[in-house]
Amino acid sequence: MNKVISVVGARPNFMKVAPVHKAFKKYSSEIEHMICHTGQHYDEKMSKVFFDELELPKPDFYLGVGSASHAEQTAKVMIEFEKVLIKEKPDMVVVFGDVNSTVACSLTAIKLGIKVSHVEAGLRSFDRTMPEEINRLLTDQISDYLFVTEESGIKNLKNEGISNGKVFLTGNVMIDSLVHYLPKADQSDILQCYGLKEKGYVLVTLHRPSNVDSKEYLRELIELLNVISNERKLIFPIHPRTKNNMKSFNLDGLLGSNVVLTDPVGYIDFLCLTKNSELIITDSGGIQEESTYLGVQCLTVRNNTERPVTVEMGTNQLIGTDLKRVELAALDILCGNKKSGTVPPLWDGHASDRITEIVADKLK
Ligand code: UD1
Ligand code: UDP
């Protein structure tokens, strides 16, 4: 029997591991699949809700690292994960995405001679001031098998000298979850709860340090949301980083009455909000992909994206960080000028089947 440990730590990891965990069940006579949660995210609404809604088992290992500086958080994950690996001796570790837990666990595993698979490999923003870009570059360099969501990833890995034989274009596991849970999302009552009309509101998420860690820029973002809220109702499920910054910068209470500020919402409700919104304003990685799949208008308030296919083929627009430009683009969309889009290749709900088939073959 082979043993595989998948590692998750932060919100965007949970919807990625869920379909992979389900797909491993097909191989249960040959592969034991376990889940390790590092505890990078730990609030009920950033963590447990996803295990419940995505029908994930309680993690086999919980490292409880919590929040800290980059070095401290990464180091704590490594120290705790090494103990798990020494005890469990898995044949492979699977890491997801680009968070600190991803690089910490891939580095720990590879140094113990354990094979590493990276799901969502090859994405590049080419912006090394982003912590995620450093995590992506390092994880890809040391991984044995790299599972890629879009063509740009194949090109990026080739340019970085990673051998072809390690790289597989398998599609997008985040879309596997979306496809699976969309019928449930259609049953959500979140629109009624907040008095939102189908295709009649704007959904906002903001959490990138480059957007929310500066007091002045965060204040300008709040003003922008207030201007847009003159046209449509906004719903803004706020990330803990942004909430904490609003409080410490004394920006609480500045949002207008047509902006519904909520805690982070669960996955099913969030899918419902995404699907039915007229426009999304975000700096999230995953939401650029989900909006493209659903054909929903998305303005990404960043100067670069590691997911260029969402702009080239999808409904995402990389609008930059000049907020006057964001305002004009948002108002234009709300006037009916919509970008059309198509779904990227292999974003079909079966990426996890392809990944687990390759893993099972490699472990033989
Ligand atoms: C992390 C990831 C980022 C990802 C995001 C998804 C890294 C470097 N960053 O950013 O790539 O897009 O998750 O949401 O891995 N906090 C809480 N409760 C929690 C978790 C965090 O209050 O459950 C607060 C803490 O004050 C913490 C801050 O949020 O210091 C930031 O958390 P952290 O995990 O360091 O980074 P994120 O901004 O969440
Ligand atoms: N999400 C959610 N509730 C929220 C905000 C986001 O369930 O209140 C989901 C969203 O649908 C997507 C994922 O969280 O699947 C994206 O995570 P996040 O934006 O935190 O991280 P990123 O993708 O930017 O790393």
Side-chain angles (χ1 to χ4, degrees):
M1 187 75 137
N2 285 300
K3 189 183 282 184
V4 174
I5 300 184
S6 283
V7 177
V8 291
R11 178 166 67 187
N13 295 155
F14 307 132
M15 47 296 281
K16 293 171 194 167
V17 78
V20 171
H21 180 69
K22 285 191 193 103
F24 267 123
K25 288 196 175 140
K26 242 194 297 174
Y27 302 93
S28 59
S29 59
E30 49 197 287
I31 298 173
E32 182 184 12
H33 182 239
M34 302 175 109
I35 296 176
C36 176
H37 184 343
T38 65
Q40 177 174 344
H41 284 176
Y42 43 84
D43 285 350
E44 159 114 23
K45 288 175 176 162
M46 294 297 286
S47 173
K48 184 171 181 302
V49 63
F50 298 100
F51 276 78
D52 296 343
E53 292 190 347
L54 295 159
E55 301 160 286
L56 278 164
K58 196 166 164 261
D60 299 277
F61 314 98
Y62 185 74
L63 308 183
V65 299
S67 303
S69 70
H70 283 274
E72 197 178 334
Q73 188 176 61
T74 308
K76 273 188 182 162
V77 173
M78 290 183 71
I79 291 166
E80 294 309 314
F81 192 53
E82 186 177 53
K83 294 178 197 163
V84 171
L85 294 181
I86 289 170
K87 182 161 173 286
E88 295 295 327
K89 300 186 175 44
D91 302 283
M92 184 185 283
V93 164
V94 182
V95 296
F96 296 80
D98 55 14
V99 301
N100 284 348
S101 302
T102 310
V103 68
C105 293
S106 52
L107 188 52
T108 310
I110 213 77
K111 289 215 171 178
L112 288 172
I114 298 165
K115 296 269 181 235
V116 173
S117 286
H118 184 203
V119 175
E120 205 184 88
L123 297 179
R124 296 290 180 270
S125 65
F126 302 101
D127 173 2
R128 291 197 181 195
T129 65
M130 275 184 90
E132 295 83 359
E133 183 76 352
I134 305 300
N135 295 343
R136 291 188 280 257
L137 280 160
L138 298 183
T139 303
D140 286 342
Q141 275 300 322
I142 57 178
S143 291
D144 296 284
Y145 305 113
L146 297 98
F147 299 117
V148 178
T149 52
E150 59 167 87
E151 275 293 341
S152 71
I154 302 285
K155 193 170 125 231
N156 296 333
L157 293 173
K158 193 169 176 207
N159 289 342
E160 287 167 23
I162 291 169
S163 100
N164 242 342
K166 295 160 80 175
V167 178
F168 305 88
L169 185 65
T170 46
N172 193 328
V173 293
M174 189 165 227
I175 301 303
D176 292 4
S177 270
L178 188 159
V179 168
H180 186 80
Y181 287 103
L182 207 51
K184 262 200 183 165
D186 287 335
Q187 310 293 312
S188 159
D189 63 358
I190 190 153
L191 301 190
Q192 293 90 300
C193 285
Y194 291 110
L196 303 169
K197 285 201 231 77
E198 259 176 52
K199 296 290 164 193
Y201 63 91
V202 178
L203 172 62
V204 179
T205 82
L206 297 163
H207 72 274
R208 295 254 96 82
S210 56
N211 280 338
V212 305
D213 282 4
S214 131
K215 178 175 179 178
E216 253 336 286
Y217 195 71
L218 187 54
R219 182 203 298 277
E220 287 172 29
L221 275 167
I222 291 171
E223 283 162 13
L224 167 77
L225 299 184
N226 284 340
V227 170
I228 297 172
S229 78
N230 291 327
E231 302 300 319
R232 292 293 187 283
K233 196 159 178 169
L234 262 63
I235 180 159
F236 182 12
I238 193 164
H239 188 282
R241 171 188 288 277
T242 313
K243 184 178 179 178
N244 293 343
N245 287 347
M246 271 173 60
K247 191 161 192 274
S248 62
F249 297 154
N250 276 322
L251 299 173
D252 275 348
L254 294 185
L255 282 166
S257 60
N258 213 23
V259 182
V260 181
L261 191 63
T262 71
D263 280 345
V265 305
Y267 181 69
I268 304 290
D269 284 342
F270 196 81
L271 267 192
C272 176
L273 286 175
T274 303
K275 183 184 167 189
N276 292 297
S277 60
E278 187 174 1
L279 165 65
I280 300 175
I281 298 176
T282 192
D283 56 15
S284 159
I287 295 167
Q288 296 175 60
E289 297 181 338
E290 292 166 332
S291 55
T292 272
Y293 183 86
L294 293 166
V296 172
Q297 300 300 302
C298 180
L299 292 176
T300 297
V301 186
R302 286 173 50 186
N303 292 317
N304 49 61
T305 178
E306 60 289 328
R307 294 160 160 93
V309 78
T310 61
V311 177
E312 288 152 13
M313 292 186 70
T315 45
N316 186 25
Q317 294 184 55
L318 189 60
I319 201 66
T321 50
D322 171 349
L323 296 184
K324 193 67 202 165
R325 218 177 139 213
V326 181
E327 179 189 324
L328 292 175
L331 297 179
D332 197 40
I333 290 170
L334 297 178
C335 282
N337 288 326
K338 307 238 152 86
K339 182 183 182 212
S340 61
T342 51
V343 176
L346 298 179
W347 291 21
D348 58 359
H350 296 291
S352 314
D353 296 329
R354 294 183 199 105
I355 289 170
T356 49
E357 192 182 339
I358 295 165
V359 167
D361 183 53
K362 297 294 176 194
L363 288 176
K364 262 187 195 138

